[in-house]
Amino acid sequence: MKKLLVALLVAAFAFPAAAFSADTIKIGFNIPLTGDIPKVGEMSKDAAEMLKEKINGAGGLEVGGKKYMLDFVYVDNEAKPESAVNAALKLIEGEKVLAMVGPQGSGRAIPAGEIANNNKTVMMSAWSTNPKTTQDRPYVFRACFLDDFQGPVAAKFATEQLKAKTAAVLYDVASDYPKGLAEFFKKDFEKLHGAGSVVAFETFTTKDVDFSAQLTKILKAKPDVLFTPQYYNEVPLIVKQARELGYKGPILGSDSWGSAELMALCGDDCKGQYFVTHYAAAGAKGATKEFIDAFNAKFKQIPDDVGALTWDATGMVLAAIKKMGAISGDLAKDRTALRDAMATMRDFDGITGKMSYDGKTGDPVKCAVIVKITDKGEFAFHESVCP
Amino acid sequence: MLDTVIQQALNALQLGSYYSLIALGYCLVYGVLLLINFAHGDIFMVGAYIAFFAATFFMGQHALIPPASPISVKLVFAGFFALILTAALSFAIKKKPQAAGQKSYSYPATLAGIFIAFTAIVYVWGQDIKLDTGADKLMVFAATLPLTMVLTSVVGVFIERVAYKPLRLKGANRLYVVITALMMGIILEYGNLSLLGANRLSFPTLLPRVIFDVGEAKISITKLSAILASFLVFSLLQWIVTRTKLGMAMRAVSYDKFAVPLMGIPLDAVIVFTFFLGSSMAGLAGLLYAMNFPVLDPFMGALVGWKAFVAAVVGGIGDIRGAFVGGFLLAFLEVIVAAVFSSELRDLISFTILLGILTWKPTGLFGKPKTTKI
């Protein structure tokens, strides 16, 4: 009896490894299904599932004349850096995936990128905008623009469209993404208006909900615009408290605002505000509209930028796999071949824009979109800024 | 300059009121049982979630029954709901068969029954109100408040029954009870996570956004209500503990848990009452907190709970004045540090100062040293 159990256990553990060598391609997703930003994980998963169904429904992905079925593995990183590292190790060593998509935000993508690069596995972050994610890591790629592009775009928009001469920044000092972006914004805004034009540069730490002390300091400095590069779960609190303390000026956000859940949490307070992001759902055309309509029909909601970027990121990994020509079955060899195919990817036509890598870095050159939150709560296209 | 000082003082008062309300709960339970109820911060979180469901329930937005269903269906549903709650509560506080002539302590159940009947009426009637005007929302708030407090108390008392009482009857060391409390907190957090999912809930606006001007400084009605509530609750508790018979019994249990039953004081009832009181304040704090910070997540109680615990210890745990003052002291320190220095030093400096206070007076500001009986 005992021997039978052991045999069953061994078979159970051996099975996944065996499944890979057959006609499947396994791709791992390192995404936050719980934690502070669960909507990001949900959107990523929904977009990936939709893509998988589309390709598997058509008989699989054709690589070198042979059809492969796709197998997507989702691991929750709880939106924590240490869990993202564990999830990366689990996917790379445990699940033996060919490539990893995610982690989405920079706070998790930077530490997980180290793991992926050391293990010579392609990591494709859809939504991480901090430059450190791909720096000196040949195996790490991304599908979005960078904060050293987003920062100037926000500063320029505040100056030209919002007519701001002074600005204030409120950000989470304990997280890589807001910290990096806040610093880029400050640098670029001061370049335009001279040193000291960022009149308040206030911080808080993750999990804080009471920002009134910082906001009181900010209000005292009388800024023309308040820039806050925080995630959608913190934005409602910041906006509401700023308004209650008597701040009447515009509040400018970054691509982390663009979640489908922002308006459900923020309500009327966020209407009329602007943020920098990757794409605008309202008024989209062509392939982007097709994606939005299909997504909306399937999941009954408008996909946000994370969903769209995950679709593109996964699509680009699959395109690179096709480009490899053939799958040898030797994981280490295939991973390296995939890396080379990714690095030479040119003009991938995604729904968030065209993407090319220059072969040296994993950063595509892409345009940013400024979105205005309308009175109906839709994210409407306001203007496009290209590098 | 003065305006900024006033504004920061108001900010600190607001923050302090949550710390104080939660710290009072820690303090009550510790005072009576010498148990640090580490699950209290999470009971506060449960309170906020209960407030959310109660408020959406009264607003008729909840999906449990469609708003358009006929009044008889609503009444049956509300009655059923009331029945379940009353049964749960009386189960939670059920006593063993009493000896003849001994008084039965079931008044919390009666009280809950009244509240629940009230709930049912407001719910049925509330289906027809339109929530455009502030006055109607005020009614929702008025109904949400008692329901939240009662339901949160039920949770608190239930935890006491399930987790702490068996240990107490076994005479387990206090350390094990503290570990059990930590575990209960984690169960509440992850239970919530698996039950309701990871997505945030957005707390509905119950009070109209009225903002009062204090010179240049501003204070909203929700902040003001939090501050007022904390002072009210403090006075009420002080009155209960020092002026009523139950308060006397609580102090007696605190003094000597083993001699008290010999004097004919129902130990169990006193403990249940303590948990009831402490948890209802956590529920109140949860409601007020959710109104000011309307994004709810399962882990919202952890950090606030820790800070309130520190506040209670600094004030002198077991002393009601101590918990109250400690909460405000911590909030003022945090705000002063954030206003004068950089906000990233906020917790570092304020907690270092609190450490200094404890070094200088280890029993806390209002605590008295305890001598061990030989």
Side-chain angles (χ1 to χ4, degrees):
Chain A
M1 190 62 202
K2 231 177 195 172
K3 265 182 192 162
L4 186 72
L5 267 179
V6 170
L8 271 175
L9 272 176
V10 168
F13 280 109
F15 183 70
F20 175 75
S21 61
D23 296 343
T24 53
I25 293 173
K26 205 175 197 181
I27 295 185
F29 286 78
N30 189 341
I31 49 177
L33 293 166
T34 64
D36 283 337
I37 45 172
K39 196 78 188 172
V40 168
E42 188 194 314
M43 276 285 174
S44 311
K45 192 177 171 184
D46 286 352
E49 282 290 296
M50 203 171 111
L51 185 64
K52 187 179 89 177
E53 274 172 32
K54 188 182 158 196
I55 290 174
N56 282 355
L61 188 76
E62 195 178 321
V63 186
K66 194 177 165 195
K67 292 250 183 186
Y68 291 88
M69 295 304 269
L70 295 180
D71 180 16
F72 288 177
V73 188
Y74 305 96
V75 178
D76 179 20
N77 65 30
E78 302 169 295
K80 290 179 193 155
E82 63 276 14
S83 308
V85 166
N86 287 338
L89 281 172
K90 188 177 170 193
L91 286 170
I92 293 167
E93 287 176 356
E95 298 280 350
K96 312 250 180 250
V97 297
L98 181 57
M100 174 167 81
V101 176
Q104 305 294 44
S106 298
R108 280 71 58 198
I110 294 171
E114 185 72 35
I115 302 294
N117 198 53
N118 289 347
N119 286 291
K120 296 199 188 316
T121 305
V122 168
M123 172 178 134
M124 176 69 172
S125 178
W127 198 49
S128 162
T129 50
N130 193 299
K132 281 188 221 152
T133 306
T134 54
Q135 223 163 48
D136 303 320
R137 290 170 179 171
Y139 281 86
V140 182
F141 299 86
R142 76 174 100 214
C144 53
F145 54 69
L146 270 67
D147 286 338
D148 52 12
F149 171 63
Q150 185 176 187
V153 166
K156 211 169 139 225
F157 177 78
T159 306
E160 286 174 1
Q161 303 262 334
L162 302 176
K163 309 269 176 265
K165 290 189 176 60
T166 55
V169 183
L170 177 64
Y171 69 99
D172 178 359
V173 74
S175 177
D176 282 332
Y177 164 77
K179 184 169 179 287
L181 188 51
E183 280 159 5
F184 282 119
F185 177 83
K186 183 171 191 264
K187 200 178 93 203
D188 291 298
F189 197 83
E190 295 199 329
K191 214 188 271 168
L192 291 169
H193 296 277
S197 54
V198 173
V199 287
F201 198 62
E202 289 296 314
T203 59
F204 63 93
T205 50
T206 319
K207 298 264 175 216
D208 274 2
V209 291
D210 183 27
F211 310 108
S212 45
Q214 291 93 319
L215 284 167
T216 302
K217 266 175 99 175
I218 286 174
L219 257 67
K220 200 183 146 207
K222 296 201 179 359
D224 292 334
V225 61
L226 171 62
F227 179 65
T228 182
Q230 288 309 130
Y231 289 108
Y232 67 85
N233 60 327
E234 289 149 336
V235 172
L237 298 173
I238 295 172
V239 175
K240 183 173 186 280
Q241 287 174 40
R243 295 291 183 229
E244 283 190 351
L245 288 168
Y247 178 71
K248 295 200 174 59
I251 299 173
L252 182 62
S254 58
D255 67 312
S256 53
W257 278 40
S259 167
E261 208 165 66
L262 179 78
M263 292 318 290
L265 294 177
C266 194
D268 291 344
D269 285 330
C270 282
K271 286 176 184 167
Q273 309 308 323
Y274 297 89
F275 62 89
V276 184
T277 189
H278 308 273
Y279 98 126
K285 290 189 239 3
T288 314
K289 189 172 184 333
E290 278 168 32
F291 164 73
I292 292 169
D293 290 344
F295 193 97
N296 197 10
K298 194 164 160 64
F299 302 108
K300 305 276 170 287
Q301 52 185 335
I302 302 290
D304 57 17
D305 59 342
V306 184
L309 285 171
T310 306
W311 175 274
D312 273 1
T314 317
M316 197 147 51
V317 170
L318 298 180
I321 293 174
K322 274 181 117 162
K323 216 173 138 214
M324 278 162 61
I327 288 177
S328 66
D330 176 0
L331 198 58
K333 214 171 123 191
D334 283 341
R335 283 173 174 174
T336 313
L338 179 61
R339 189 260 143 196
D340 295 338
M342 285 287 287
T344 53
M345 182 71 86
R346 301 281 182 275
D347 291 328
F348 175 81
D349 207 2
I351 55 169
T352 61
K354 266 200 172 30
M355 278 172 272
S356 302
Y357 296 115
D358 60 5
K360 292 186 215 83
T361 65
D363 306 326
V365 178
K366 284 178 84 171
C367 300
V369 173
I370 309 265
V371 156
K372 184 184 185 181
I373 305 176
T374 63
D375 288 339
K376 275 193 230 149
E378 285 179 333
F379 296 166
F381 178 85
H382 184 74
E383 65 172 16
S384 174
V385 186
C386 291
Chain B
M1 184 61 209
L2 184 67
D3 294 325
T4 314
V5 173
I6 294 174
Q7 183 69 67
Q8 294 289 23
L10 290 174
N11 294 343
L13 270 176
Q14 187 225 169
L15 189 61
S17 57
Y18 307 119
Y19 290 163
S20 287
L21 278 174
I22 303 168
L24 284 170
Y26 270 113
C27 161
L28 270 185
V29 170
Y30 183 84
V32 172
L33 281 181
L34 299 184
L35 153 71
I36 296 167
N37 183 13
F38 275 120
H40 194 69
D42 296 301
I43 295 177
F44 154 79
M45 175 274 290
V46 170
Y49 271 83
I50 288 176
F52 172 83
F53 287 113
T56 45
F57 180 70
F58 286 128
M59 291 166 97
Q61 292 176 351
H62 209 272
L64 279 176
I65 25 173
S69 49
I71 196 125
S72 53
V73 175
K74 287 176 195 164
L75 263 176
V76 167
F77 183 83
F80 186 62
F81 173 71
L83 205 71
I84 291 178
L85 276 178
T86 321
L89 193 84
S90 27
F91 175 74
I93 58 172
K94 199 175 81 181
K95 282 190 59 108
K96 291 201 183 77
Q98 307 264 331
Q102 215 173 350
K103 212 171 153 195
S104 163
Y105 284 81
S106 61
Y107 54 89
T110 321
L111 209 63
I114 295 168
F115 275 130
I116 289 159
F118 176 62
T119 308
I121 294 165
V122 174
Y123 179 70
V124 171
W125 170 77
Q127 295 286 309
D128 304 320
I129 57 173
K130 286 183 186 62
L131 286 156
D132 301 335
T133 59
D136 290 339
K137 284 192 179 176
L138 218 59
M139 273 310 296
V140 173
F141 174 68
T144 305
L145 184 74
L147 185 69
T148 305
M149 287 176 73
V150 170
L151 290 186
T152 316
S153 318
V154 173
V155 174
V157 171
F158 182 73
I159 289 174
E160 197 273 334
R161 295 278 101 164
V162 169
Y164 306 152
K165 194 187 173 195
L167 286 176
R168 195 171 66 241
L169 292 183
K170 270 189 185 161
N173 191 307
R174 267 165 55 201
L175 179 68
Y176 302 129
V177 190
V178 171
I179 294 169
T180 311
L182 277 171
M183 178 200 74
M184 269 329 290
I186 293 170
I187 289 178
L188 287 180
E189 286 170 9
Y190 285 89
N192 182 342
L193 185 68
S194 54
L195 203 68
L196 298 174
N199 276 348
R200 300 291 188 271
L201 294 179
S202 175
F203 198 78
T205 319
L206 293 183
L207 294 183
R209 183 176 287 182
V210 181
I211 293 164
F212 301 106
D213 292 324
V214 188
E216 284 282 295
K218 298 203 170 4
I219 184 158
S220 67
I221 198 163
T222 43
K223 287 184 181 181
L224 201 64
S225 56
I227 298 170
L228 288 179
S230 70
F231 277 87
L232 260 174
V233 162
F234 166 67
S235 327
L236 184 73
L237 272 188
Q238 189 77 326
W239 177 75
I240 290 179
V241 170
T242 56
R243 295 273 184 279
T244 64
K245 246 181 178 172
L246 251 165
M248 196 192 268
M250 283 163 74
R251 282 180 290 147
V253 173
S254 169
Y255 188 76
D256 192 335
K257 208 163 56 183
F258 299 103
V260 152
L262 304 177
M263 305 294 166
I265 298 171
L267 178 67
D268 242 26
V270 175
I271 289 171
V272 164
F273 181 72
T274 309
F275 272 87
F276 196 86
L277 214 55
S279 310
S280 72
M281 279 171 325
L284 175 66
L287 169 65
L288 295 168
Y289 191 86
M291 280 165 56
N292 263 311
F293 308 115
V295 178
L296 307 186
D297 80 285
F299 301 95
M300 62 189 280
L303 190 65
V304 182
W306 272 109
K307 288 192 172 173
F309 166 66
V310 172
V313 171
V314 167
I317 192 155
D319 189 290
I320 290 176
R321 278 167 308 162
F324 188 66
V325 173
F328 282 104
L329 180 74
L330 175 61
F332 269 91
L333 276 177
E334 282 192 1
V335 168
I336 288 171
V337 173
V340 179
F341 305 99
S342 166
S343 25
E344 62 210 74
L345 297 174
R346 173 161 141 163
D347 289 355
L348 179 70
I349 296 183
S350 45
F351 282 92
T352 311
I353 292 173
L354 296 180
L355 190 68
I357 293 177
L358 286 180
T359 316
W360 161 67
K361 202 169 180 307
T363 51
L365 291 175
F366 288 87
K368 290 175 205 75
K370 259 197 180 147
T371 45
T372 324
K373 279 169 277 184
I374 302 168

